[in-house]
Amino acid sequence: MSLADSDRELVVSELGREPTRAEAALFENLWSEHCAYRSSRPLLSAFDSEGEQVVVGPGDDAAVVALPSTDADGDRTGGRTDDERTYITMGIESHNHPSYVDPVDGAATGVGGIVRDTLSMGAYPIALADSLYFGEFDDDHSRYLFEGVVEGISHYGNCIGVPTVAGSVDFHPDYEGNPLVNVACVGLTNEERLVTAEAQEPGNKLVLVGNATGRDGLGGASFASEDLAEDAETADRPAVQVGDPYAEKLLIEANEQLVDDGLIESARDLGAAGLGGASSEMVAKADLGARIELERVHQREPNMNAMEILLAESQERMCYEVKPENVDRVREIVERFDLGCSVIGEVTDENYTCLFEGETVVDVDAYFLGEGAPMNDLETEDLEEPATDLPDADLETTFDAVVSSPNTASKRWVYRQYDHEVGVRTSVGPGDDAAIIAVREAEQGLAISAGAAPNWTAVAPYEGARAIALENATNIAAKGATPLAAVDCLNGGNPEKPDVYGGFTDIVDGLAEMCETLSTPVVGGNVSLYNDSVTGPIPPTPTLAMVGSKDGYDAPPLSVESEGDLVLVGDLGLERDEFRLGGSEYLARFDGSDRFPGLPDDPASVVETLAAVANDNSTLAVHDVSHGGLAVALAEMVGDDAGLEVSIPAADPAGALFHEQPGRALIQTKSVAAVREAFDGVGPVVELGTATDDGRLAIDLGDRTLETDATAIRERRATIERELE
């Protein structure tokens, strides 16, 4: 992918000359869609990224959010001074194209990159969440990619000692030619330790720390800005980086020591566009420049030229700004961790210049390099609303198909490969509605939920994206936490196709609208376009990673106890005009179609009230109702020693059981009256039945009863484990 003619003309006009080979390569990568967001940046202003809790918003390597504190009366507030408050960092990245070409290394280096973004802010990584999207599960190539991606994430995350505690896995035919690997990381820091990616002062040294530079990952940014070619798995292999998690672990600990000792003025992870991207972006943010001598970079391959040194995306590397008097101390600490360390140049108040063997190979204005790319003005085309075409299948067959679908089945095969307890902070692990991480420094639990829903956004991009935001918030509220902030990874196909760009525009607007409604600022994120291949574009996929906070670390379980009443908070859908089945797993399994369901009138109040009820002493269990509808939620709550007998007197039992309107939850309680009182004026509360001590699930539908038990449900939900072992 070479610099476009129109871009080259703009560069020549700015420089007053033809660019050097190294300059042209820098502009090609930094002005790519992957780095410059040329098709998406005009849309991103839709997001509200401000709030009292937001310390650092979009534009840095990761966002920084302050956890609420508690005042003398026990009320949650921002009452502490900044240097007393606990901060979390949030970031999310995609490694989609690399994971198609090499699923193990592609996914692994995605984990490494988002962890280093966390280090750049002076934070220590405490949790990961991965949202993964593949073609149909019964396709051999999709399974190959699925197994490789999970192996890459588990190996890298386990080796560096950061628990993977949350996430999602979805299978959809439109990911066959282009899987998605979206990884989020949460870190921990405070005001005293906070570092940003903005250079501070001319004269400070630029120090490259970490692995030696090789030729791997060359052109990775431009590779990620094109459709995947049919021969991508072989032709694009050099653009995929190779990770070393053991070096990353050393880098994590070295970074921690450097930050503790106050030796870092600013920092940037070497990711897209390598050293050229990290160093130029660092100084451009401060409207400064740099002078870099490329031959000083420690290298692992002989005879590397200037362009290779600048653009290689070799992993496990950081660029630090360091005061001259602290350089020797930095080198001492880094070498103690057996990592490479090179003083490669310094911050200046002039142009961004790079020299190689005495020759100036780059001499450009850093701000123009980083921010000068022109934005794209693209056409959009609206998606047609689907017609109603409902399948005619008996309920027993439908129940079996939906509960055993790879999309709703247990993901235990995935998360059991992750060490989700390393770090001794995981209070609620994967497999629940949301994970909870203990932030003992603030005596709070941090709830984490991440994912999207391609079935929803394929049918209705705008409403589906709104539903994804509400779904993640409901997951968090089910654990008794209040949504605090979110980051997004916006994935789309080729934006030059009007229908694709129309769908992408809709997911941006829908996600932004619901997050604002929920008073949950979107504090950062990532955009990945050109997820397109010979099989066609992916569905518009807005992955959202949301966090919430609560006092303490305990939460109601997902599974019911053997005694207690069960209620549904939200619409049951007793009549056909009360629900829509669009986007449901039911229609996906039986090739039906319908419009997407409506959302609650006051979703913010639903989330707030659900969190309060989840923390009430009378609450025994809470479970979000979403993918697979009420049928799957009921099945997931049953265990060997606790079952459910429920009654759903619906005119259309299939609709009531399988529609997927978000913002609903099942609550097992000792006091139905207390739940009704809490939700009075907020939303409907429907009494469904009671718990039993025999592990059965009996669903009375008026003219028939669906009956099964925990053992049979476990067997149905073992689809992934059974096929891959």
Side-chain angles (χ1 to χ4, degrees):
M1 180 177 175
S2 59
L3 196 61
D5 290 343
S6 58
D7 290 346
R8 191 176 191 89
E9 290 174 7
L10 192 60
V11 169
V12 169
S13 175
E14 171 71 18
L15 299 182
R17 57 174 172 79
E18 287 290 326
T20 67
R21 183 166 176 254
E23 287 170 338
L26 261 182
F27 278 107
E28 173 197 328
N29 279 267
L30 291 177
W31 284 19
S32 67
E33 184 67 53
H34 185 73
C35 291
Y37 289 6
R38 299 175 65 159
S39 301
S40 61
R41 188 180 294 189
L43 308 176
L44 300 182
S45 60
F47 289 106
D48 182 2
S49 58
E50 298 181 350
E52 180 188 5
Q53 70 272 44
V54 181
V55 180
V56 177
D60 223 306
D61 273 1
V64 181
V65 177
L67 291 179
S69 53
T70 305
D71 63 19
D73 297 323
D75 296 325
R76 304 185 86 199
T77 176
R80 293 184 183 179
T81 60
D82 283 346
D83 59 356
E84 295 174 320
R85 297 182 75 179
T86 300
Y87 294 167
I88 61 164
T89 62
M90 301 176 65
I92 190 168
E93 279 288 351
S94 62
H95 241 222
N96 302 335
H97 283 26
S99 297
Y100 177 83
V101 174
D102 181 344
V104 177
D105 279 325
T109 51
V111 174
I114 197 60
V115 166
R116 291 192 302 279
D117 284 342
T118 302
L119 304 185
S120 297
M121 309 306 295
Y124 196 89
I126 60 171
L128 292 163
D130 60 335
S131 297
L132 313 175
Y133 310 86
F134 303 95
E136 293 278 28
F137 181 66
D138 59 6
D139 178 83
D140 288 342
H141 189 251
S142 294
R143 286 196 196 178
Y144 155 74
L145 294 173
F146 176 38
E147 291 180 273
V149 165
V150 171
E151 179 185 344
I153 291 171
S154 63
H155 176 65
Y156 204 99
N158 293 352
C159 288
I160 64 175
V162 181
T164 302
V165 298
S168 61
V169 179
D170 287 277
F171 300 94
H172 189 285
D174 291 345
Y175 296 117
E176 167 55 31
N178 197 131
L180 302 182
V181 176
N182 298 171
V183 183
C185 185
V186 175
L188 199 61
T189 189
N190 56 37
E191 173 65 23
E192 185 179 356
R193 293 169 49 85
L194 183 61
V195 177
T196 72
E198 182 175 329
Q200 299 298 303
E201 188 176 348
N204 285 342
K205 300 299 182 181
L206 294 175
V207 182
L208 183 64
V209 169
N211 266 346
T213 298
R215 292 185 172 91
D216 53 319
L218 278 169
S222 55
F223 160 60
S225 304
E226 299 176 300
D227 293 354
L228 277 171
E230 195 165 6
D231 63 349
E233 288 175 286
T234 53
D236 292 319
R237 183 62 187 83
V240 179
Q241 311 92 333
V242 178
D244 178 356
Y246 303 106
E248 181 96 348
K249 176 60 175 174
L250 294 172
L251 191 57
I252 291 171
E253 302 306 327
N255 188 83
E256 184 76 355
Q257 185 67 60
L258 295 171
V259 171
D260 275 345
D261 289 358
L263 300 174
I264 305 303
E265 303 304 309
S266 66
R268 195 96 195 192
D269 154 53
L270 270 70
L275 174 61
S279 58
S280 65
E281 289 168 354
M282 181 187 290
V283 296
K285 286 176 70 70
D287 200 20
L288 294 171
R291 177 184 171 88
I292 296 173
E293 297 183 42
L294 295 173
E295 66 269 19
R296 292 187 178 185
V297 171
H298 51 288
Q299 303 162 42
R300 70 168 184 265
E301 297 188 36
N303 304 318
M304 292 185 69
N305 62 38
M307 188 180 71
E308 291 171 332
I309 296 170
L310 263 178
L311 293 177
E313 296 181 10
S314 303
Q315 296 293 284
E316 294 85 39
R317 300 182 300 162
M318 300 283 291
C319 184
Y320 294 123
E321 178 191 6
V322 179
K323 290 182 177 179
E325 62 268 27
N326 290 332
V327 168
D328 288 343
R329 177 64 178 147
V330 168
R331 188 191 303 278
E332 177 188 334
I333 291 172
V334 169
E335 290 180 349
R336 187 193 313 157
F337 285 92
D338 201 25
L339 294 167
C341 181
S342 303
V343 180
I344 60 172
E346 64 182 19
V347 179
T348 71
D349 55 7
E350 299 176 348
N351 270 359
Y352 175 78
T353 60
C354 298
L355 290 80
F356 183 65
E357 297 177 347
E359 177 186 353
T360 299
V361 294
V362 176
D363 186 0
V364 300
D365 178 79
Y367 187 83
F368 178 71
L369 178 61
E371 300 293 332
M375 297 295 105
N376 295 330
D377 184 12
L378 301 173
E379 295 182 5
T380 64
E381 185 178 295
D382 292 336
L383 183 72
E384 290 186 13
E385 192 171 82
T388 298
D389 181 14
L390 302 182
D392 183 18
D394 67 85
L395 280 178
E396 288 77 9
T397 300
T398 303
F399 183 85
D400 285 349
V402 173
V403 172
S404 64
S405 164
N407 284 325
T408 58
S410 169
K411 303 305 185 296
R412 182 176 175 273
W413 180 88
V414 177
Y415 62 73
R416 75 174 188 181
Q417 298 183 55
Y418 304 151
D419 186 346
H420 51 265
E421 296 183 346
V422 64
V424 205
R425 289 184 181 271
T426 308
S427 175
V428 176
D432 212 310
D433 286 337
I436 294 185
I437 295 294
V439 183
R440 299 182 186 88
E441 295 80 355
E443 299 180 346
Q444 289 187 41
L446 188 73
I448 305 172
S449 174
N455 282 344
W456 296 358
T457 46
V459 170
Y462 178 79
E463 290 298 331
R466 292 181 71 233
I468 287 166
L470 179 56
E471 151 78 353
N472 278 282
T474 307
N475 285 338
I476 284 170
K479 299 293 102 179
T482 302
L484 181 67
V487 291
D488 58 21
C489 192
L490 304 170
N491 305 271
N494 185 333
E496 298 163 43
K497 300 176 180 177
D499 58 333
V500 169
Y501 195 57
F504 182 80
T505 300
D506 284 346
I507 63 170
V508 171
D509 291 342
L511 206 64
E513 190 278 334
M514 182 54 75
C515 286
E516 184 174 5
T517 297
L518 297 173
S519 300
T520 304
V522 179
V523 293
N526 176 69
V527 176
S528 176
L529 293 174
Y530 292 94
N531 293 290
D532 222 313
S533 69
V534 292
T535 65
I538 64 161
T541 309
T543 298
L544 194 68
M546 184 181 289
V547 300
S549 62
K550 66 176 298 180
D551 295 331
Y553 325 125
D554 295 330
L558 178 153
S559 301
V560 294
E561 297 184 9
S562 58
E563 294 183 2
D565 296 314
L566 188 73
V567 300
L568 171 70
V569 173
D571 290 326
L572 178 57
L574 296 178
E575 302 294 336
R576 171 64 186 144
D577 59 1
E578 293 179 357
F579 63 86
R580 292 292 173 185
L581 284 159
S584 66
E585 191 62 27
Y586 167 48
L587 294 189
R589 291 296 103 193
F590 292 94
D591 297 321
S593 65
D594 198 6
R595 287 181 291 159
F596 192 72
L599 273 59
D601 293 334
D602 187 359
S605 294
V606 170
V607 170
E608 179 183 2
T609 306
L610 179 61
V613 169
N615 288 321
D616 191 89
N617 289 334
S618 65
T619 297
L620 302 174
V622 182
H623 188 19
D624 155 72
V625 179
S626 57
H627 307 299
L630 187 60
V632 169
L634 289 168
E636 289 174 333
M637 295 186 82
V638 170
D640 289 333
D641 300 320
L644 287 168
E645 290 183 349
V646 300
S647 177
I648 302 176
D652 183 345
L657 282 173
F658 302 114
H659 83 84
E660 296 184 9
Q661 182 191 58
R664 301 184 297 157
L666 290 168
I667 300 173
Q668 187 190 25
T669 179
K670 293 185 285 188
S671 174
V672 173
V675 179
R676 288 193 180 280
E677 181 180 357
F679 278 92
D680 184 33
V682 175
V685 175
V686 182
E687 292 186 59
L688 294 182
T690 59
T692 66
D693 61 2
D694 57 7
R696 290 184 309 112
L697 173 61
I699 306 174
D700 180 1
L701 298 168
D703 61 344
R704 79 202 88 170
T705 299
L706 277 177
E707 192 163 347
T708 186
D709 59 31
T711 301
I713 290 170
R714 193 159 45 244
E715 178 63 21
R716 289 187 183 98
R717 300 193 68 239
T719 302
I720 295 175
E721 284 183 278
R722 185 167 54 248
E723 295 297 325
L724 296 182
E725 292 186 345

